Amino acid sequence: MFSVGKINIDKAILLAPMEDVTDIAFRKICKEFGADVVYTEFVNSDGLIRSNKKTEKKLEITDFERPVGIQIYGGNLEPMIEAAKIAEQKNPDIIDINAGCWVKKIAGRGAGAGLLKDPCYMQTMVESIVKAVSIPVTVKTRLGWDQNSINILDVAKRIEDAGASSLTLHCRTKTQGHSGEADWSWIEKVKEVIKIPVALNGGVFTAEDVLRAFTETNADAVMIARGAIEHPWIFREAKLLLNGEKYSEVTPEERIETILRHLKYSLELKDERAAIIPFRKYYAGYLKGLPASKEVRIKLYQQLQFEPIKEILYDYLEKLQSEEFLEKKL
Ligand SMILES: Cc1cc2nc3c(=O)[nH]c(=O)nc-3n(C[C@H](O)[C@H](O)[C@H](O)COP(=O)(O)O)c2cc1C
């Protein structure tokens, strides 16, 4: 059971924090497809205490997405405590501490996965933040720095002792980055040493993977990152499988309707150009597997306005629905 503060969800499916991906628009889409809890991208504690406007913007959340967690990162205690207090003012359901980021400029400075090198300091940081705020504090971390220094069992106990409400375990080491196999067998070992809920993360790319993660491990929750970028409907499919039901393949109509809805949500937050350029990263996943989608993507990449994008997609949909086209392309 994923019990964190007022949240009580059996076999919860969580949307992972992802930089430049999990903004309000994408979180809203994932929520609509059934994500139980969503997280902001990580927010730099130093930027928050300097009142950097771009950093502060990342704290924005909406009631629609609840329960929602704001994730913060940093290697220094005082700025992290201050950042947690600033984040708390936005009234999220959870403050999540990033203790897993592997990027050199972050982990190398003692933040993110860098905290795994000093579990005692990580414990102090979690404890201080728990004391400083009145909402649940959770931690997302990895197995250890590298294969020869896996210390998650010690780290997990320290995180629990520090008062954290749950632990998300990305079942890879820092040196693995995002590649290599995620070793889910650690979930059971971690569950043996702590009582707080444990969320499994890493290598969950399909609804079948979600089912397998819950069947093969005793995780309280499963957190999906890249698998959601490719297809946010993974949450709906996984929920059906967990209920013992089958799901039907998402239709081309729904894929295209999702692109347009997602883009519209982005346009509510930013001006047209600022919304459309970063949105390009989503086309490949949304159109994956559809006939002649590469040509469509090339056309979409050239557009900087919503209307022509809509036209290209509707034309494409019409073509997809014509039998002649399908016969030629399949
Ligand atoms: C584009 C991208 C951005 C990410 N940003 C964050 C982040 O801000 N905070 C964080 O804790 N993890 C971040 N991650 C790591 C993911 O949350 C997750 O731990 C990792 O991708 C493994 O899960 P997966 O195998 O389901 O992708 C990011 C991953 C990707 C691909």
Side-chain angles (χ1 to χ4, degrees):
M1 179 68 82
F2 187 72
S3 299
V4 173
K6 290 181 191 145
I7 309 165
N8 279 299
I9 304 168
D10 188 30
K11 295 196 169 50
I13 311 180
L14 322 177
L15 169 67
M18 280 184 280
E19 187 183 21
D20 291 334
V21 177
T22 57
D23 61 1
I24 293 183
F26 188 64
R27 298 197 305 261
K28 206 167 164 187
I29 286 288
C30 291
K31 193 83 205 174
E32 286 170 352
F33 279 116
D36 289 309
V37 183
V38 298
Y39 293 82
T40 65
E41 66 179 290
F42 64 177
V43 186
N44 183 349
S45 55
D46 295 327
L48 283 184
I49 62 165
R50 283 197 308 265
S51 302
N52 179 304
K53 292 282 162 273
K54 225 173 137 189
T55 311
E56 281 175 347
K57 213 159 170 40
K58 296 179 180 174
L59 294 179
E60 279 171 23
I61 53 172
T62 59
D63 278 337
F64 178 82
E65 339 162 26
R66 287 190 189 284
V68 53
I70 291 180
Q71 191 190 63
I72 55 171
Y73 77 94
N76 297 314
L77 196 56
E78 288 307 322
M80 279 294 275
I81 296 170
E82 276 319 299
K85 288 187 194 163
I86 297 169
E88 186 184 23
Q89 286 164 18
K90 296 287 174 184
N91 199 21
D93 301 275
I94 293 170
I95 300 274
D96 188 59
I97 300 172
N98 180 310
C101 181
W102 63 301
V103 175
K104 203 172 165 193
K105 69 173 194 236
I106 292 173
R109 289 187 193 152
L115 290 166
L116 284 163
K117 287 214 150 175
D118 191 347
C120 188
Y121 184 61
M122 193 201 297
Q123 181 171 0
T124 306
M125 183 181 279
V126 178
E127 207 167 67
S128 312
I129 293 173
V130 168
K131 278 191 193 134
V133 299
S134 53
I135 54 174
V137 174
T138 61
V139 178
K140 178 168 179 281
T141 191
R142 292 178 178 248
L143 300 177
W145 186 262
D146 60 23
Q147 207 56 33
N148 298 320
S149 59
I150 291 183
N151 56 352
I152 187 58
L153 297 183
D154 174 43
V155 165
K157 279 188 262 179
R158 287 175 182 275
I159 287 171
E160 180 172 68
D161 288 348
S165 297
S166 81
L167 166 71
T168 301
L169 181 58
H170 179 181
C171 300
R172 295 187 176 98
T173 61
K174 180 261 165 198
T175 40
Q176 279 182 289
H178 290 161
S179 55
E181 196 147 327
D183 185 352
W184 294 351
S185 68
W186 281 97
I187 297 291
E188 193 154 356
K189 295 174 207 157
V190 168
K191 290 274 296 174
E192 270 168 27
V193 298
I194 57 173
K195 290 190 183 68
I196 54 172
V198 177
L200 174 156
N201 170 238
V204 177
F205 296 110
T206 62
E208 288 72 14
D209 289 340
V210 176
L211 182 66
R212 200 163 53 80
F214 279 121
T215 316
E216 288 178 10
T217 78
N218 48 353
D220 300 285
V222 166
M223 178 182 269
I224 306 171
R226 287 165 294 175
I229 311 180
E230 295 282 300
H231 39 77
W233 39 85
I234 188 173
F235 295 99
R236 181 179 66 197
E237 295 174 350
K239 286 265 161 88
L240 286 167
L241 288 190
L242 289 178
N243 272 336
E245 293 168 50
K246 285 191 181 142
Y247 66 85
S248 27
E249 278 297 309
V250 61
T251 61
E253 286 85 342
E254 190 173 19
R255 284 170 184 264
I256 283 164
E257 192 268 331
T258 306
I259 297 180
L260 292 172
R261 193 155 37 91
H262 184 176
L263 185 51
K264 271 191 184 156
Y265 292 159
S266 298
L267 287 164
E268 285 166 15
L269 304 167
K270 300 173 191 162
D271 67 47
E272 216 164 24
R273 202 186 154 86
I276 287 171
I277 293 175
F279 194 83
R280 290 172 180 163
K281 62 177 163 284
Y282 295 104
Y283 294 133
Y286 280 144
L287 299 175
K288 200 174 175 176
L290 294 180
S293 63
K294 193 170 167 210
E295 285 103 302
V296 179
R297 265 192 286 135
I298 292 169
K299 279 192 215 162
L300 291 170
Y301 291 154
Q302 290 160 2
Q303 301 307 322
L304 288 171
Q305 286 173 317
F306 180 73
E307 280 308 316
I309 290 174
K310 194 167 98 180
E311 247 171 67
I312 292 168
L313 287 170
Y314 279 149
D315 279 354
Y316 180 48
L317 183 59
E318 222 172 277
K319 270 193 182 165
L320 284 178
Q321 286 162 338
S322 86
E323 270 174 44
E324 201 189 326
F325 177 82
L326 281 178
E327 268 165 28
K328 225 172 21 191
K329 290 289 176 186
L330 285 173

